[in-house]
């Protein structure tokens, strides 16, 4: 009775732990969804899809099932044939944004839980630490987080179909045996296979490999009925995928992407981007996988002769299958004309599943020793340490964009109330933050002609026309972070951040906060200004005329930043209330007039303060694909500075400026608003130090496994000694 009670308390505590983890993650993901407004295709899919432009009769909202069928047919024949994603996309935009936020957060939780199920099966709900680690890895490695999780049209194409894809894998992963109603199972798996096969290119193609490998690996010489429904699922998945590709081959989307780059250049970019978006994940999976595979030397023989696999072997085989399928997803990018970060979404999902299957095999192999849980605790603590500042950084960037969306929302509402039909709205800041849904998605476009994005936005906001006007001030949203997030951030800043324990444990573009502006300082050597009064303009026939030199003095540095000569007869009062210098604001405390004297060296000192302004930096990556020069926007940032200051600009990690240096100076002038820098990639061997996080991670894992092997060896010796004594 005591034993049963203890077991009940243990599993009850683990269940509560899992629910607590999900509650925390729900809060964080819902919070970031709150600050992700609508953009790009979102406005379009609110209406019946007729193509790039509204129908001649105008944009029409959905009213019945026939409207849905008509829109889906048009979309599949004109743009792409992602049937599953299209249905999700249209459905999402029929609800208010706050409902989408909640649904999207729940879907995020479900995807993470399914990953845990694919590793631990029915016991997943009792693995809170593992569940927490999965969600943290999803934060870092769901490639293009802004466009695949936060953008409504993106999440319905990537995150939402992942629920179906991972659910499709579960019966294959655990080799379900259907005792009765095999035909019903075949029909269910057929429907699911079709939906998965027509979700998105990388997710659908890799899912074919996953279920096919599992069907072969778990084939049975005795039970044909299970082989029957598994084969139906594989074929349905493959045929649906081929149909999707065929229907999309001549679509507008394919033509829109245009011709690809040179093969060698394209391969080089795939490798570089894979290191960027998946590097640490692949590294850890390979190291752990090798350790497990070496210990399962009979696994491959069992697969060849179709012998049943034990629990450890099943987890190991699963890890191999998901890893190979993920690598195949990378290989499939060779035929893609463009390499968006979101292409790595399905790849990284498979890598995370592979990693935790290998970890499941590792724990089973070590009989769930305290050391294996220690490794998991270490991983969770380390990831959380990196995730908190990462979340804060990306939230700050996202809030800047959301303020613009909020401004548009309010301007449209006010215009409708006043009966105005044309609304002027400010543009949105260019961003290259992969956690921002506005990265690379169309928004308000400049120009007076009819524009695609502006047209759909006007229909959505129920006005006749939207015009870009950057002079319209951006408003600040009253929306705040949830208290939990604010308190965690405050605690982190006060008690943890300054410790810098893991300051070298960084990964470019994943955990590392990019720093493009090293410092902004007043110029050490300000530009020299000739402060001598030149009287050469005074004519001999006008002896009553005098000059005075106005010196504009920067109150911040007490330096003369400009001069101006004025002339007037002596003993006369001169109005200097409008005296000013470009880039500086004249202080109200300055005198408003000056009375000239008979002196020939009259000086008037006026105090000024430098004007604060936003400076936007654009970094264009310049490369050659073997035929011609290519220039693409790699990163952008903006900062506040004052006229007369000097900013020290740092090139993005792994890049250098045209002059061969990684740092350069930028003098802030009155006309300094947008600055474009061309940067080139530094050869990998020349910036190995930027990837020190990878080396530290590899060394750390090697040390942990050496300790693990040592502990296992000592336990073996102890057990042998006990056997001898008995």
């Amino acid at each position: 009775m005591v034993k049963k009670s203890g077991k009940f308390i243990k599993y009850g505590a683990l269940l509560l732990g899992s629910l607590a983890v999900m509650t925390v993650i729900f809060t964080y993901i819902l919070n970031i969804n709150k600050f992700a407004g609508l953009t790009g295709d979102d406005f379009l899919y609110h209406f019946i899809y007729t193509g790039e432009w509204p129908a001649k009769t105008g944009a029409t909202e959905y009213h019945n099932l026939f409207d849905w069928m008509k829109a889906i047919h048009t979309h599949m024949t004109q743009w792409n044939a992602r049937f599953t994603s299209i249905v999700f996309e249209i459905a999402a935009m029929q609800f208010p944004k706050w409902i989408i936020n909640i649904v999207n957060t729940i879907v995020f939780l479900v995807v993470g839980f399914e990953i845990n199920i694919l590793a631990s099966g029915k016991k997943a709900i009792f693995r809170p630490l593992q569940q927490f680690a999965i969600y943290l890895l999803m934060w870092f490695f769901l490639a293009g987080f802004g466009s695949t999780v936060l953008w409504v049209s993106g999440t319905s194409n990537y995150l939402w179909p992942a629920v179906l894809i991972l659910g499709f894998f579960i019966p294959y992963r655990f080799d379900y045996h259907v005792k009765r109603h095999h035909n019903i199972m075949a029909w269910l798996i057929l429907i699911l296979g079709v939906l998965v096969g027509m979700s998105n290119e990388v997710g659908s193609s890799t899912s074919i490999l996953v279920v096919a490998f599992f069907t072969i690996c778990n084939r049975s010489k005795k039970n044909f009925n299970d082989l029957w429904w598994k084969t139906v699922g594989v074929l349905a998945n493959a045929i649906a995928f081929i149909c999707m590709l065929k229907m999309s081959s001549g679509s507008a989307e394919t033509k829109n992407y245009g011709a690809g780059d040179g093969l060698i250049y394209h391969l080089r970019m795939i490798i570089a981007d894979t290191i960027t978006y998946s590097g640490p994940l692949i590294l850890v999976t390979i190291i752990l996988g090798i350790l497990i595979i070496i210990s399962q030397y009979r696994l491959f023989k069992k697969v060849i002769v179709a012998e049943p696999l034990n629990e450890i072997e099943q987890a190991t085989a699963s890890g191999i299958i998901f890893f190979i399928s993920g690598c195949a997803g990378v290989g499939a990018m060779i035929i893609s004309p463009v390499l968006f970060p979101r292409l790595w979404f399905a790849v990284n999902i498979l890598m995370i599943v592979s990693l935790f299957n290998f970890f499941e095999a590792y724990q089973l192999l070590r009989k769930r020793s305290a050391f294996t849980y220690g490794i998991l605790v270490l991983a969770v603590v380390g990831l959380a340490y990196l995730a908190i500042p990462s979340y804060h950084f990306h939230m700050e960037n996202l809030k800047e964009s959301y303020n613009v969306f909020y401004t548009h929302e309010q301007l449209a509402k006010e215009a409708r109330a006043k009966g105005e039909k044309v609304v002027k709205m400010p543009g949105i800041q260019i961003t290259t933050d992969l956690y921002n849904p506005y990265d690379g998605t169309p928004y308000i476009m400049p120009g007076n002609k009819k524009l695609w994005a502006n047209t759909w936005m006007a229909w959505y906001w129920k006005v006749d026309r939207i015009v870009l006007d950057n002079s319209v001030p951006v408003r600040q949203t009253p929306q705040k972070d949830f208290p939990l997030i604010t308190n965690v951030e405050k605690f982190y800043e006060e008690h943890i951040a300054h410790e810098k324990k893991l300051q070298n444990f960084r990964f470019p573009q994943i955990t590392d906060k990019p720093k493009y502006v090293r410092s902004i300082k007043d110029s050490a050597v300000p530009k020299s200004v000739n402060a001598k009064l030149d009287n050469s303009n005074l004519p001999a026939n006008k002896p009553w005329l005098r000059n005075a030199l106005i010196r504009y003095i920067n109150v911040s540095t007490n330096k003369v930043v400009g001069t101006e000569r004025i002339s007037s007869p002596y003993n006369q009062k001169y109005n200097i209330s409008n005296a000013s210098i470009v880039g500086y604001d004249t202080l109200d405390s300055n005198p408003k007039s000056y009375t000239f004297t008979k002196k020939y060296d009259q000086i008037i000192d006026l105090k000024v303060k430098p004007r604060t302004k936003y400076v936007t930096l654009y970094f264009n990556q310049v490369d050659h694909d073997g035929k011609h020069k290519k220039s693409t926007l790699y990163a952008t940032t903006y900062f506040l500075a004052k006229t007369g200051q000097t900013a020290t600009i740092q090139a993005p990690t792994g890049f250098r400026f045209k002059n061969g240096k990684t740092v350069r100076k930028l003098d802030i002038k009155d006309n300094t608003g947008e600055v474009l820098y061309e940067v080139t990639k530094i050869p990998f061997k020349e910036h190995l130090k930027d990837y020190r996080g990878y080396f530290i991670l590899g060394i750390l894992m090697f040390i942990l496994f050496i300790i693990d092997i040592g502990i296992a060896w000592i336990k073996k010796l102890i057990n042998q000694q006990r056997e001898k004594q008995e």
Side-chain angles (χ1 to χ4, degrees):
M1 189 68 181
V2 175
K3 189 175 181 180
K4 285 185 178 180
S5 177
K7 193 174 182 181
F8 178 80
I9 293 172
K10 173 187 173 182
Y11 283 103
L14 291 173
L15 176 61
L16 289 175
S18 294
L19 294 176
V21 166
M22 290 184 179
T23 301
V24 170
I25 299 302
F26 180 88
T27 304
Y28 270 84
I29 300 302
L30 180 60
N31 185 73
I32 199 170
N33 269 278
K34 287 195 313 180
F35 291 95
L38 304 175
T39 178
D41 296 347
D42 295 344
F43 299 101
L44 183 157
Y45 288 110
H46 178 72
F47 304 97
I48 297 175
Y49 185 85
T50 57
E52 183 180 5
W53 296 98
K56 293 181 180 179
T57 55
T60 308
E61 297 184 0
Y62 293 89
H63 298 291
N64 51 55
L65 184 60
F66 178 73
D67 291 341
W68 280 58
M69 293 171 63
K70 184 170 61 175
I72 292 169
H73 176 266
T74 304
H75 195 290
M76 292 184 71
T77 52
Q78 289 189 11
W79 189 244
N80 65 41
R82 297 176 178 176
F83 173 79
T84 309
S85 298
I86 296 167
V87 172
F88 284 151
E89 208 162 13
I90 294 173
M93 283 309 301
Q94 306 317 304
F95 296 93
K97 184 61 169 63
W98 67 269
I99 293 179
I100 300 172
N101 294 341
I102 295 173
V103 172
N104 198 43
T105 304
I106 293 172
V107 172
F108 184 90
L109 292 179
V110 171
V111 169
F113 187 58
E114 285 182 320
I115 292 174
N116 203 359
I117 290 174
L118 285 167
S120 304
K122 297 177 182 178
K123 297 178 181 178
I125 196 64
F126 303 113
R127 304 281 168 81
L129 273 177
Q130 185 163 296
Q131 191 65 69
F132 198 9
I134 288 170
Y135 286 132
L136 289 169
L137 287 177
M138 287 173 67
W139 167 257
F140 287 121
F141 294 105
L142 290 189
F145 198 94
S147 60
T148 57
V149 178
L150 300 180
W151 180 28
V152 178
S153 295
T155 192
S156 55
N157 274 269
Y158 294 92
L159 183 67
W160 293 14
V163 174
L164 297 178
I165 294 171
L166 295 177
F168 184 49
F169 294 159
I170 291 173
Y172 287 88
R173 158 65 175 93
F174 294 101
D175 192 20
Y176 282 4
H177 296 294
V178 181
K179 296 179 181 179
R180 293 187 299 174
H181 308 301
H182 299 92
N183 289 335
I184 294 176
M185 182 65 178
W187 277 107
L188 291 174
I189 210 74
L190 183 146
I191 294 170
L192 194 54
V194 170
L195 293 175
V196 169
M198 302 190 81
S199 55
N200 61 71
E201 288 75 7
V202 179
S204 298
S205 60
T206 53
S207 65
I208 299 170
L209 290 177
V210 171
V211 293
F213 280 138
F214 273 117
T215 300
I216 295 170
C217 184
N218 293 324
R219 68 192 185 281
S220 174
K221 297 177 181 178
K222 300 177 181 179
N223 197 338
F224 175 77
N225 288 324
D226 284 330
L227 183 61
W228 153 245
W229 66 257
K230 289 179 182 178
T231 304
V232 167
V234 174
L235 292 176
N237 192 188
I239 293 171
F241 173 67
I242 293 170
C243 289
M244 181 180 70
L245 289 184
K246 181 65 178 176
M247 294 176 70
S248 299
S249 60
S251 67
E253 183 182 40
T254 303
K255 294 175 182 177
N256 190 51
Y257 290 153
D261 302 313
L263 179 60
I264 301 300
Y265 174 82
H266 196 63
L267 288 172
R268 194 152 45 88
M269 292 304 296
I270 289 174
I271 294 171
D273 288 346
T274 301
I275 292 173
T276 297
Y277 304 132
S278 312
L281 193 56
I282 292 176
L283 175 65
V284 174
T285 305
I286 289 175
I287 294 175
L288 181 57
I290 290 173
L291 177 72
I292 301 304
I293 292 169
I294 290 174
S295 66
Q296 302 296 305
Y297 58 89
R298 296 186 66 249
L299 170 64
F300 298 102
K301 183 179 178 181
K302 281 189 171 185
V303 171
I304 292 171
V305 299
E307 288 185 17
L309 304 179
N310 61 36
E311 195 175 1
I312 299 176
E313 291 167 341
Q314 187 70 40
T316 305
S318 300
I320 295 171
I321 288 171
F322 286 116
F323 181 80
I324 292 174
S325 301
C327 291
V330 175
M333 295 176 197
I334 294 174
I335 63 174
S336 175
V338 288
L339 298 174
F340 296 126
R342 55 180 175 263
L343 292 180
W344 277 263
F345 180 89
V347 171
N348 286 359
I349 285 281
L350 292 174
M351 290 298 173
I352 294 173
V353 177
S354 173
L355 173 61
F356 282 96
N357 270 277
F358 282 137
F359 189 74
E360 179 73 11
Y362 171 65
Q363 284 197 307
L364 290 170
L365 193 65
R366 295 291 183 254
K367 298 179 180 179
R368 303 198 182 279
S369 66
F371 184 77
T372 63
Y373 283 107
I375 292 176
L376 190 57
V377 170
L378 182 65
V380 168
V381 171
L383 287 169
Y385 176 90
L386 297 173
I388 293 172
S390 170
Y391 185 90
H392 173 68
F393 168 72
H394 295 301
M395 277 296 300
E396 291 303 305
N397 182 279
L398 181 56
K399 286 175 182 177
E400 292 292 334
S401 299
Y402 184 75
N403 283 333
V404 179
F405 174 80
Y406 170 76
T407 302
H408 295 174
E409 195 175 33
Q410 296 303 306
L411 289 172
K413 183 179 179 180
E414 292 166 4
R416 291 194 302 270
K418 296 176 182 177
E420 297 174 355
K421 298 299 182 181
V422 179
V423 186
K424 293 182 178 180
M425 295 182 173
I428 202 160
Q429 310 96 322
I430 293 178
T431 178
T432 50
D433 184 0
L434 294 179
Y435 287 74
N436 193 320
Y438 297 93
D439 173 30
T441 53
Y443 208 62
I444 294 182
M445 299 176 179
N448 295 318
K449 62 179 183 179
K450 191 176 181 182
L451 299 164
W452 173 86
N454 299 21
T455 300
W456 284 110
M457 288 178 67
W459 275 101
Y460 184 84
W461 296 123
K462 293 182 174 62
V463 295
D464 285 354
R465 189 168 167 233
I466 286 176
V467 179
L468 176 66
D469 186 353
N470 286 322
S471 66
V472 177
V474 175
R475 306 180 187 182
Q476 301 295 308
T477 175
Q479 196 163 238
K480 303 296 182 183
D481 291 326
F482 289 129
L484 170 67
I485 295 166
T486 305
N487 293 333
V488 169
E489 185 182 313
K490 182 179 179 182
F491 178 84
Y492 187 93
E493 288 297 322
E494 291 179 356
H495 303 285
I496 300 175
H498 63 279
E499 295 293 336
K500 305 289 185 184
K501 296 297 184 184
L502 299 178
Q503 59 183 347
N504 291 322
F505 201 67
R506 303 283 181 180
F507 301 97
Q509 289 192 354
I510 296 174
T511 62
D512 199 15
K513 176 181 176 180
K515 188 174 184 180
Y516 303 124
V517 183
R518 279 192 174 183
S519 63
I520 303 170
K521 299 179 180 178
D522 294 322
S523 299
V525 183
K527 183 180 177 181
S528 59
V529 177
N530 186 2
K532 292 183 179 180
L533 182 60
D534 181 6
N535 287 315
S536 61
N537 68 320
L538 297 178
N541 61 349
K542 295 181 180 180
W544 62 86
L545 198 62
R546 295 292 185 271
N547 285 330
L549 183 70
I550 298 178
R551 299 192 307 179
Y552 295 99
I553 300 175
N554 184 348
V555 293
S556 301
T557 61
N558 205 33
K559 303 289 185 181
V560 177
V561 292
T563 59
E564 181 183 0
R565 185 178 65 185
I566 57 175
S567 302
S568 174
Y570 58 78
N571 294 330
Q572 283 196 12
K573 184 181 290 186
Y574 192 98
N575 182 8
I576 58 173
S577 61
N578 294 319
S580 62
I581 183 175
V582 175
Y584 293 84
D585 293 321
T586 307
L587 299 188
D588 292 336
S589 58
N590 286 316
K592 301 298 184 289
S593 62
Y594 175 77
T595 301
F596 277 75
T597 66
K598 292 184 178 182
K599 293 182 180 181
Y600 283 92
D601 57 349
Q602 300 179 57
I603 303 294
I604 307 171
D605 287 338
L606 296 182
K607 294 182 179 180
V608 295
K609 62 179 180 180
R611 192 169 295 152
T612 301
K613 60 185 301 177
Y614 278 104
V615 179
T616 304
L617 304 179
Y618 301 99
F619 297 93
N620 270 15
Q621 179 180 352
V622 178
D623 210 335
H624 293 79
D625 66 355
K627 296 180 181 179
H628 51 270
K629 178 180 176 182
K630 294 180 68 65
S631 182
T632 55
L633 180 63
Y634 177 80
T636 183
T637 190
Y638 62 91
F639 62 94
L640 277 171
K642 296 178 180 178
T643 305
Q645 290 186 317
T646 298
T648 302
I649 308 301
Q650 171 75 53
T653 302
F655 289 85
R656 58 188 169 203
F657 296 108
K658 290 174 65 176
N659 61 6
K661 297 181 179 180
T662 58
V663 176
R664 63 183 304 168
K665 301 290 185 180
L666 173 64
D667 293 326
I668 310 300
K669 302 175 182 177
D670 180 65
N671 61 350
T672 305
E674 296 183 338
V675 183
L676 173 65
Y677 292 116
E678 289 190 340
V679 294
T680 55
K681 195 82 173 176
I682 299 174
F684 182 75
K685 62 181 180 181
E686 293 184 25
H687 69 109
L688 282 175
K689 64 179 182 179
D690 295 326
Y691 291 86
R692 58 183 176 271
Y694 292 86
F695 301 118
I696 295 173
L697 183 61
I699 293 170
L700 180 61
M701 288 200 66
F702 179 76
I703 292 171
L704 288 173
F705 289 137
I706 289 296
I707 296 172
D708 173 73
I709 292 170
I711 292 172
W713 181 70
I714 292 171
K715 284 185 176 180
K716 184 178 179 180
L717 290 178
I718 293 172
N719 290 334
Q720 287 177 349
Q721 190 68 28
R722 286 177 179 174
E723 288 176 1
K724 288 180 180 180
Q725 291 176 355
E726 292 175 357

XYZ file of all heavy atoms in Angstrom, residues 44 47-55 71 74 78 456:
120
model
N -5.053 39.158 -47.607
C -5.651 38.534 -48.795
C -6.546 37.362 -48.416
O -7.658 37.228 -48.939
C -4.523 38.095 -49.731
C -4.856 37.467 -51.073
C -3.673 37.637 -52.016
C -5.144 35.980 -50.952
N -10.342 37.116 -47.465
C -11.374 37.152 -48.500
C -11.283 35.917 -49.394
O -10.296 35.185 -49.369
C -11.209 38.417 -49.349
C -11.219 39.684 -48.546
C -10.033 40.302 -48.161
C -12.415 40.259 -48.144
C -10.034 41.469 -47.409
C -12.434 41.428 -47.394
C -11.243 42.031 -47.019
N -12.324 35.699 -50.192
C -12.329 34.580 -51.127
C -11.163 34.750 -52.100
O -11.033 35.792 -52.753
C -13.665 34.506 -51.900
C -14.822 34.251 -50.921
C -13.624 33.400 -52.962
C -16.191 34.280 -51.577
N -10.324 33.727 -52.190
C -9.109 33.822 -53.000
C -9.453 33.806 -54.483
O -10.043 32.861 -54.993
C -8.155 32.671 -52.681
C -6.836 32.778 -53.404
C -5.803 33.539 -52.879
C -6.636 32.128 -54.623
C -4.593 33.656 -53.540
C -5.425 32.235 -55.295
C -4.410 33.002 -54.751
O -3.215 33.120 -55.403
N -9.075 34.878 -55.192
C -9.286 34.967 -56.639
C -7.977 35.211 -57.374
O -7.974 35.424 -58.580
C -10.269 36.103 -56.969
O -9.757 37.332 -56.416
C -11.640 35.828 -56.396
N -6.871 35.198 -56.644
C -5.580 35.495 -57.247
C -4.937 36.675 -56.556
O -5.305 37.047 -55.440
N -3.971 37.279 -57.251
C -3.222 38.391 -56.653
C -4.096 39.606 -56.384
O -3.853 40.355 -55.441
C -2.068 38.774 -57.591
C -1.168 39.873 -57.033
C -0.038 40.230 -57.967
O -0.008 39.687 -59.092
O 0.825 41.039 -57.583
N -5.132 39.786 -57.217
C -6.001 40.958 -57.093
C -7.429 40.536 -56.755
O -7.825 39.418 -57.072
C -6.008 41.753 -58.404
C -4.674 42.315 -58.732
C -3.756 41.780 -59.590
C -4.082 43.499 -58.201
N -2.634 42.557 -59.630
C -2.799 43.622 -58.784
C -4.506 44.467 -57.284
C -1.948 44.677 -58.489
C -3.650 45.516 -56.988
C -2.392 45.620 -57.585
N -8.179 41.405 -56.144
C -9.596 41.091 -55.889
C -10.352 40.909 -57.203
O -9.912 41.385 -58.253
C -10.098 42.336 -55.134
C -8.870 43.014 -54.617
C -7.787 42.721 -55.589
N -11.477 40.213 -57.140
C -12.312 40.037 -58.329
C -12.831 41.402 -58.797
O -12.784 42.393 -58.066
C -13.479 39.107 -58.014
N -12.373 28.936 -53.604
C -11.100 29.585 -53.282
C -9.949 28.581 -53.295
O -8.855 28.867 -53.803
C -11.196 30.266 -51.919
N -9.057 27.631 -56.892
C -8.314 28.718 -57.541
C -6.876 28.756 -57.051
O -5.936 28.907 -57.842
C -9.002 30.071 -57.269
O -10.355 30.012 -57.692
C -8.291 31.194 -57.993
N -3.648 28.179 -59.437
C -2.945 29.404 -59.817
C -1.658 29.639 -59.031
O -0.676 30.132 -59.585
C -3.860 30.622 -59.629
C -4.982 30.696 -60.638
C -5.715 32.021 -60.549
O -5.275 32.972 -59.886
N -6.857 32.113 -61.218
N -5.212 45.134 -50.813
C -5.822 44.169 -49.892
C -5.960 44.750 -48.488
O -6.943 44.489 -47.786
C -5.003 42.884 -49.850
C -5.210 42.031 -51.060
C -4.327 41.783 -52.064
C -6.410 41.325 -51.404
N -4.885 40.967 -53.012
C -6.167 40.665 -52.635
C -7.663 41.185 -50.811
C -7.122 39.877 -53.266
C -8.623 40.399 -51.440
C -8.351 39.752 -52.656
